[in-house]
Amino acid sequence: MIDIDKIKKQVEQTSTLDELEALRINLLGRQGVLNSYLKELKNLPLGERKKRGEELNLLKEELESVVNKKIEAITSSFLLERLKKESIDPYLPPFPINIGRMHIINRIINKIVHIFERLGYETVEGPEVETEYYNFEALNMPAHHPARDLWDTFYLNNGKLLRTHTSPVQIRTMESNRPPIKIIAPGRCFRKDNPDASHSPVFYQIEVLYIDKGVNFAHLKGTLEYFARSMFGRDQEVKFVLSYFPFVEPGAEVAVKCVICKGRGCITCKQTGWLEILGAGMVHPEVLERQNINSKIYSGFAFGMGPERIGMLMYGINHIRHFLDNDLRFLNQFKFHLED
Ligand code: FA5
């Protein structure tokens, strides 16, 4: 007969689940000890068979419960052992999570827009598909005006065009607002320019327009100097050069000393030592009068700047195409910049 105390001892002495399983098969498996006794039942007389059957069933239940208890004991001691080894330090920093972030060009634009919002400018937008009227005519460039050639234009089949600059937003704003007007208008522009280090066929511009009584060139210069200092810091050299745009008089261009070559000359600044970042000027009286703004009472200044070129200067980026390529090796360098 089975010695239950001896078996209990054997179970107690096992230390792994594998050992225990081998013992369980030996006792309770199909070819096991208990089954061999059960098979012999049929040879016993009827009365004895019943009694012996009940005894064996009880024995089976007891054996199963002993084995199951041992399984639980081994599993929980194994878990405890593991927990001791794998202690958790809640003060460790979490794994770096790869979250998306705003494209660097949008962050540069936002920074510029914030500088002007602090000066009281309101942000507005205009359409990328424009008419000749807004892109040229209302800006003092009637049909066949030679200045239209300054902007190599993509024309669409429906007679419209892709705006070559954000200056049409000036006109749309003057149409529906009376002075004082103080707006900033960022947006995409398109030109058939030959691509090079500082020219792309698709690029952004940010237009600024201020119209009020008594606005003069000194206000324009002061505003631009304030902007350049906020963007590049006090030490960055900036120069104003007289220039021509049909919708301003006088007109100027602003250039910033090239940070790539420190002014010595390189492909980014086309060997000039300076990178032009914006066109500016006093709004032409003709442009104001066309929008029924009395140019004897009101005057204004406007400028349109290229945020890619500004970003190139801030970060020493030597080619404008990096802004469009979306190469993660480039974009990931700006993870921690411009978080305002
Ligand atoms: C203009 O587009 C005028 N509308 C600016 C203006 C506004 C003048 C208001 C007076 C009053 P310009 O073509 O120079 O000007 O372009 C202005 C700026 O846009 C440039 O200084 C440059 O920073 C940027 N830009 C122009 N063309 C490109 C291009 N192909 N790729 C990248 N940036 C460009």
Side-chain angles (χ1 to χ4, degrees):
M1 190 54 195
I2 295 170
D3 180 347
I4 187 77
D5 289 332
K6 195 173 156 208
I7 289 172
K8 275 186 186 165
K9 229 180 236 157
Q10 283 177 338
V11 169
E12 214 33 66
Q13 277 163 2
T14 56
S15 55
T16 67
L17 287 177
D18 285 346
E19 273 179 53
L20 189 63
E21 179 62 4
L23 191 58
R24 190 192 65 79
I25 291 171
N26 187 31
L27 293 169
L28 297 160
R30 264 204 298 157
Q31 315 285 334
V33 183
L34 196 81
N35 252 359
S36 66
Y37 285 111
L38 285 169
K39 273 179 205 156
E40 275 168 23
L41 278 180
K42 61 178 184 300
N43 304 327
L44 294 177
L46 199 60
E48 211 177 311
R49 195 189 302 169
K50 200 171 164 234
K51 191 167 154 262
R52 183 95 172 112
E54 278 169 9
E55 276 171 16
L56 286 174
N57 270 336
L58 284 175
L59 194 65
K60 189 179 173 212
E61 275 171 27
E62 196 173 351
L63 283 177
E64 277 172 351
S65 124
V66 169
V67 170
N68 286 342
K69 273 193 194 129
K70 185 65 185 175
I71 290 178
E72 264 175 44
I74 294 181
T75 317
S76 61
S77 80
F78 174 73
L79 273 177
L80 273 175
E81 211 43 43
R82 224 178 115 180
L83 279 175
K84 263 189 233 155
K85 276 192 217 143
E86 296 177 7
S87 63
I88 296 168
D89 182 352
Y91 297 103
L92 280 175
F95 293 113
I97 303 167
N98 232 349
I99 48 169
R101 76 192 75 85
M102 206 182 265
H103 192 283
I104 183 65
I105 191 62
N106 289 322
R107 287 153 79 194
I108 294 168
I109 291 171
N110 282 354
K111 187 170 165 91
I112 297 171
V113 167
H114 285 162
I115 291 174
F116 285 94
E117 278 176 350
R118 283 202 294 274
L119 295 175
Y121 287 81
E122 187 192 338
T123 307
V124 296
E125 279 183 300
E128 291 175 355
V129 174
E130 266 297 6
T131 61
E132 290 205 39
Y133 171 77
Y134 287 108
N135 201 76
F136 293 124
E137 209 174 317
L139 288 162
N140 224 6
M141 284 176 277
H144 311 302
H145 191 291
R148 288 196 181 197
D149 296 341
L150 290 175
W151 295 280
D152 219 341
T153 311
F154 289 108
Y155 286 94
L156 305 177
N157 291 337
N158 59 5
K160 292 191 171 177
L161 50 83
L162 296 181
R163 68 174 172 194
T164 56
H165 50 176
T166 41
S167 297
V169 187
Q170 287 189 35
I171 305 303
R172 290 181 176 275
T173 308
M174 287 185 225
E175 262 179 359
S176 51
N177 294 275
R178 296 293 88 191
I181 289 173
K182 226 176 162 184
I183 55 118
I184 178 160
R188 256 188 324 177
C189 303
F190 309 85
R191 289 186 198 176
K192 279 199 270 178
D193 281 346
N194 283 333
D196 64 21
S198 59
H199 290 82
S200 159
V202 182
F203 59 99
Y204 282 90
Q205 270 195 356
I206 301 179
E207 193 83 8
V208 170
L209 172 69
Y210 177 36
I211 302 172
D212 204 347
K213 289 178 188 157
V215 177
N216 60 41
F217 202 87
H219 294 122
L220 169 62
K221 207 160 172 253
T223 305
L224 286 174
E225 276 167 354
Y226 171 80
F227 165 69
R229 276 203 305 276
S230 312
M231 209 62 202
F232 304 113
R234 292 197 163 262
D235 301 332
Q236 181 68 50
E237 276 183 70
V238 175
K239 75 172 178 181
F240 291 78
V241 188
L242 275 186
S243 181
Y244 171 71
F245 299 97
F247 37 94
V248 290
E249 181 55 37
E253 268 170 1
V254 172
V256 174
K257 179 134 318 146
C258 180
V259 292
I260 312 257
C261 61
K262 309 272 180 290
R264 283 189 294 275
C266 65
I267 57 153
T268 306
C269 61
K270 297 213 183 94
Q271 310 304 335
T272 61
W274 296 86
L275 201 60
E276 176 213 311
I277 57 159
L278 61 87
M282 299 304 296
V283 181
H284 200 291
E286 190 61 30
V287 173
L288 294 175
E289 294 293 343
R290 266 175 170 267
Q291 302 309 321
N292 297 319
I293 296 175
N294 190 336
S295 63
K296 301 224 166 37
I297 301 173
Y298 291 105
S299 54
F301 65 67
F303 48 90
M305 61 177 114
E308 287 92 346
R309 299 224 186 138
I310 289 169
M312 289 166 80
L313 288 164
M314 286 171 73
Y315 297 116
I317 298 164
N318 62 3
H319 207 292
I320 197 164
R321 76 180 142 77
H322 294 305
F323 289 102
L324 283 172
D325 280 354
N326 280 334
D327 185 331
L328 287 178
R329 287 168 303 179
F330 170 73
L331 295 176
N332 282 341
Q333 294 177 70
F334 303 103
K335 266 184 190 161
F336 304 111
H337 289 268
L338 287 173
E339 289 309 342
D340 57 327

